[in-house]
Amino acid sequence: MRFFLCWGFWIWLVASAVFRLMGHYFFTLEEPFLMIAVYILAIPLIWVVTIPIYSMKKLKHTERLLAAICIALPGMLIDAIVLLVFDNVFPNLSPDLDRYFASWLLWAYSIILITGFTKASFVRKNTFHSSN
């Protein structure tokens, strides 16, 4: 499970870097449709990141759920602290956006956990394999 914890940390790190560097472009109260798009785009993005990992490791049902928990856990723990010092970590985002950012985090971590409930047959059929 250490593999999945590491994946979770790297996913958190990349996502945090994106929000730190470019979050002000899509987390803005002046553009509500753009913020909604960020929520919607999280679904396929998280799906594309997690499902191939489950397939690559040939995980069974309970193993996928445990892997999803391990992927979500590092970010959830770190973000619990990050949200306390939101202004310092994300100076490019307005302090008024902290609740929207926290909402998006809950959304994203929920989607990660939901991917753990996918059926193994669905995971195998819908991932890329080289058949030589």
Side-chain angles (χ1 to χ4, degrees):
M1 290 297 123
R2 190 175 3 181
F3 172 82
F4 301 106
L5 289 168
C6 289
W7 261 102
F9 173 77
W10 286 109
I11 291 168
W12 169 83
L13 187 63
V14 169
S16 294
V18 167
F19 286 116
R20 173 65 176 85
L21 298 173
M22 296 181 288
H24 57 284
Y25 292 119
F26 38 82
F27 268 109
T28 173
L29 295 175
E30 291 80 33
E31 296 289 338
F33 291 113
L34 192 54
M35 280 193 9
I36 291 169
V38 172
Y39 280 78
I40 294 170
L41 288 173
I43 297 168
L45 183 62
I46 290 169
W47 196 268
V48 165
V49 169
T50 57
I51 298 298
I53 296 170
Y54 306 152
S55 181
M56 177 182 70
K57 290 292 190 174
K58 297 181 175 116
L59 300 179
K60 293 180 174 56
H61 179 68
T62 54
E63 293 171 326
R64 284 192 312 279
L65 189 52
L66 183 58
I69 292 168
C70 289
I71 290 170
L73 197 57
M76 292 173 76
L77 292 171
I78 297 168
D79 280 331
I81 295 166
V82 166
L83 287 171
L84 294 173
V85 291
F86 179 83
D87 300 350
N88 296 328
V89 177
F90 300 104
N92 59 326
L93 296 175
S94 167
D96 298 340
L97 295 173
D98 62 347
R99 65 182 173 202
Y100 299 103
F101 184 71
S103 168
W104 187 88
L105 290 173
L106 287 172
W107 172 255
Y109 292 127
S110 297
I111 295 168
I112 291 171
L113 294 175
I114 288 169
T115 65
F117 289 100
T118 56
K119 292 183 179 181
S121 60
F122 178 83
V123 171
R124 280 191 295 275
K125 281 188 234 173
N126 293 300
T127 53
F128 299 106
H129 293 289
S130 62
S131 55
N132 292 345

